Structure formats: structure tokens, C-alpha cells
Amino acid sequence: MPLRLLHLEDNARDAEMIAALLLEAEIHFDVSRVDSKESFVMALEKHEFGLILCDYNLPSFDGNTALGIARRKYPDTPFIFVSGTIGEDRAIEALKSGATDYVLKDRLVRLVPAVRRALQEVEERKARLQLEEQLIRAQRMESIGVLASGIAHDLNNVLGPIMLGIEVIRRNAQDPRSLRMLETMAVSAKRGAAILKQVLGIARGGKGDKRLLQPRYIIDEVVNLIRQTFPRSIKVISDIQRDVPAIEADPTQLHQVLLNICINARDAMAEYGELKIALEKTEIDESLSHLYGRGRRGEYVVLSVTDTGTGIPPEIIEQIFDPFFTTKESGKGTGLGLSTVSSIVRGHDGFVTVDSETGKGTTFRVYFPAAKQEMLEKSVESKTEMRQGNGELILVVDDEVSIREITREMLETQGYSAVTASDGAEAIAIYLRGKDAIKAVVMDLVMPILSGPDTIKTLRRINPNLTIIAVSGMTFEGETDVVPEGDIRVMLRKPYSSELLLQAIAEALGKTTE
């Protein structure tokens, strides 16, 4: 793109000579030449220039005044004096006032190096500012991650006893109405846990609890949701191929990806439009892999969302996945939606492409690698039947009394014995008294007095073969770093179901069968 140049010069011959020097040096530019204060100010109001060249002495205008006007309007635009009468003292004063450089007209051999140096400094400054902005964004994302983890820890401790308690009560409930109410409560608690996982999706960089799933079921759920909540004037169409293979994904995060893209499509269409959600399979070969610049060769599942909205301007399409970038008004968008989409998809070894035309609409295509045959076989082989307990004593360590009591109740109803401790110090004391009887420990990682990791290390010194199941309401990143590898058998994230905990205990104690 040519450099936009503003040249304040009253001598047409000098202006032509300077332009010829720049062209000879292959500096491509579009020049606007002015020779008065009025035309200079008008040019600055009309355009933003990449470079300003200025004579020092003009019949009704002077270079210092021009410099002051330019600096107030565009403080970062390079400003070079090109004059035959500036003199060394006035040149030094001009540099102190904000001029980038000065070149004498009888030494124009310095002009091209001065221009190139000034333009290079601009590029370096832009690059430095971009790095600073990226650092600020990274710090903001880190702060959000810390906040999200802390909130998740507290709320997961609230949801955990509810989910476990519902399942304990449901086993003894007989009344159909009570069973329906318990089912409603269970669905609500699980939805609350899913919302927390969505919040943590930002903090955890797109990682999640992946399992084999058919994406069409997630699409059906989202389509039903948006048909109920989007304006009736937006027509929702789904086009789902039925032979699409399974993918390995976190269902909550996949739900989040699709919903975020659909919400952006809704906002782009205002009141009327058509939203089409499609699912198909495709094969990416070597040439397509190079074309996209992402992904590996093989079979992919492609989720596409097409809207008939306003489209994305070409000048910002590269920025739409940046954290906190948004074109929405203050209070109507944080700029995290598409950033979260990109983060989640990368965490699933996939990628996103965007095609958009201003005034006609946009299509997002999300590519997920299809599950390989060995994954499918492993999934089938991993289905095991749990055995109930046979009186084995389990030590439950958690600082939340509700979690301790409901976990103990649940274990005892499933044939286990249980003893509880409210912190690490109490857990160590209990284990020392009953180490021959205690078969496994369920240990919260975040506790007062003596933390979970420190308690685990102490228990390991007492009995290197002790079976330990670690649980936490926070993200695991950072927690596993302080727990030596091999010191824990299983890691569970709160809130977990009773089935998940029972399965973990059964596997740890070797109580599963084919």
C-alpha cells in the first residue's frame, strides 16, 4: 500500500525534485502538496498521513507552527524538515519540539536514509505497542482465570453435596412426584456445574473433560434452545448429515462453541434473517492442510454456522478472535465470545475458518478431527461394571462439612465404611491410628492448615502404596505440579456424581470387571 505523504512546500521545483528522489529509491507514495496554513490544516483534517515533509520558511507560514499543529493532531506521525535555511540552532530546537529529523536542501542525499529510518521507527513503535497490548490482554486473561478458578472452587463445593445428596435420596424415594422433583433438581445442579465449566473454559485454555460423542446431539440441543430464545423473525435451519463420525470432545465446551457463534450471528442480523447450522464430514489432504495453514491430514467433522447478516469488514476480520476485541457498544459485549471459541477449538486439535462478505453474511466453519478407530474400540473396551463395596474403609478428607457427610452417607449406602477428616493434620492422625484398616483416601487438594498436596506427601511417606483419590473444585493446572507424579491414583473435579466417585474408588481398589 503506498505511503500517504503530506508535503508542505511553496516551491514546486523543489517539491518535484524531492518526489523524484523518493521514487528513485523505490519509496512508493501518494503525495498531497500544500503551500499555506489553511491548506495544511485542511489536509490534516481530511486524512491521516504516514509521513510529513515540511519546508521551514514559507511566505505566510513557518515550520515551527506547522510542527505544533501536526503534533497536536497526529503526535506519532514522522515529521521531517526539508529546508535550505533552517540552520543548526533552529534544527536542534525543532527536534526538541518533536520533529523527527531535518535535511538541508543542499544535502538531499540524506533525505532517503532519513525517511527510511523514520518509517522504520514507526513500524518498530507499532510492533512494540502491539506486544504491550498482547501483554496487557494476557495479564487480563490471567486475572480472569484466577478469578474464575476461585469462584469455581467455592461454587463447586456448594453444588457437590447437592448432586451427591440427590442421588442418595433418589435411591430411597418411592413417590413418583418426589422422583420427578429430584430429577428436576438434578438437572438444575448439573446445568449449574456446566455453567462453571464454561467459565473455566476461558481460564483453562480450551481444555476439558473429553469423551467420544456424536456432535449432532449437541447441535439438536442448541437448535432447540435458539428457536425458543431468538427472535421469531430469524429463521433457523439445520442441515445435519447422519453418517458423520464421532469426535473426542467436551460436550459442554462444544455446546459453548456453537452457542457463541450463533449469538454473534443473531446480533449481526438485527431483526430479520436466516441462520443455518450444518454438520458434515470432510477429508483434508496435504494441499488443503497447507491452504488452511492448520490441522493435519485426515477425516474431519465440520460444523458450520451461516447467517445473512451485515458481514465482517475485511479490515477487522483478522482481529475477531482476539480477546476483548468487539465491535459492540459498551455493555453489550465483552469481546470474549469468539476468543473462547478459538481457544476451545485449538484445545480439541481443531481450527476455525471464516468467510464473510459485507452486507451479505458470514460463515464460520469449525473443524474437529474425527475419532479414530482405535479410540472407538478403546471406548467400548473401557465400559466396565462396578462392584459395590464389601466393608472397605475409606478416609474422606474435606474442609466442607456438607461434602464430608454426604460422601460418607453415599459410601455407606454402597457397602463401604467411611471415616472423615476436616483437614490434613486430622487426616494424618486418623490414618496413623487406622492405617491397617484404611484402604483408600479421598483427598481434597485445597484445604486450610495443611494443604492436600502436603498431606498426600506425608501419607506417602507413611505408606508408599496407599491408594489416594484427589478431588478439587479448582482447575488442575498448577495443582498437579505440586503433587509428585504417582502419588495419586485418580484426579476428580468437583462437582462429581456418586457414580463417578464410586467408579474411581472401584478402579483404584481393583473392583471392576469386564
Side-chain angles (χ1 to χ4, degrees), residues 56 64 67 81 87-99:
Y56 191 80
N64 279 333
L67 175 61
F81 280 114
E88 186 173 342
D89 291 340
R90 285 186 292 183
I92 292 173
E93 288 300 320
L95 293 175
K96 290 180 179 178
S97 299

Side-chain angles (χ1 to χ4, degrees), residues 144-178:
I144 289 175
V146 172
L147 177 62
S149 295
I151 293 172
H153 174 260
D154 292 341
L155 292 182
N156 282 328
N157 278 337
V158 172
L159 286 171
I162 295 173
M163 293 177 65
L164 292 173
I166 288 171
E167 293 168 11
V168 170
I169 296 172
R170 186 160 46 191
R171 291 190 182 94
N172 300 319
Q174 303 294 328
D175 177 45
R177 184 170 179 272
S178 298

Side-chain angles (χ1 to χ4, degrees), residues 383-403:
K383 292 181 180 179
T384 59
E385 179 184 351
M386 292 187 299
R387 292 179 180 174
Q388 286 199 326
N390 190 26
E392 296 92 342
L393 182 60
I394 310 296
L395 171 58
V396 179
V397 189
D398 201 296
D399 60 319
E400 291 285 337
V401 62
S402 57
I403 294 178

Side-chain angles (χ1 to χ4, degrees), residues 153 157 396-400 403 441-447 450-453 455-456 469-474 494:
H153 174 260
N157 278 337
V396 179
V397 189
D398 201 296
D399 60 319
E400 291 285 337
I403 294 178
V441 177
V442 178
M443 173 75 64
D444 188 15
L445 288 182
V446 182
M447 293 186 299
L450 188 64
S451 70
T455 304
I456 290 172
I469 299 166
V471 299
S472 177
M474 299 181 71
K494 297 176 181 177

Side-chain angles (χ1 to χ4, degrees), residues 104-177:
L104 299 177
K105 286 186 177 179
D106 59 355
R107 298 179 185 176
L108 285 177
V109 67
R110 285 196 61 248
L111 178 63
V112 169
V115 168
R116 283 182 170 156
R117 183 170 58 251
L119 296 178
Q120 182 180 355
E121 288 175 355
V122 169
E123 292 303 315
E124 291 174 351
R125 185 163 56 248
K126 287 180 179 178
R128 186 167 60 251
L129 289 174
Q130 287 177 350
L131 288 174
E132 290 173 356
E133 288 175 0
Q134 290 175 7
L135 176 60
I136 291 171
R137 288 173 180 171
Q139 290 172 339
R140 290 171 72 184
M141 291 299 291
E142 182 180 0
S143 298
I144 289 175
V146 172
L147 177 62
S149 295
I151 293 172
H153 174 260
D154 292 341
L155 292 182
N156 282 328
N157 278 337
V158 172
L159 286 171
I162 295 173
M163 293 177 65
L164 292 173
I166 288 171
E167 293 168 11
V168 170
I169 296 172
R170 186 160 46 191
R171 291 190 182 94
N172 300 319
Q174 303 294 328
D175 177 45
R177 184 170 179 272

Side-chain angles (χ1 to χ4, degrees), residues 8 37 40-41 44 54-56 60-72 79 81:
L8 177 56
K37 180 178 180 179
F40 182 72
V41 172
L44 290 175
C54 180
D55 195 3
Y56 191 80
S60 60
F61 198 26
D62 68 273
N64 279 333
T65 304
L67 175 61
I69 294 171
R71 281 290 168 258
R72 285 192 295 272
F79 189 107
F81 280 114

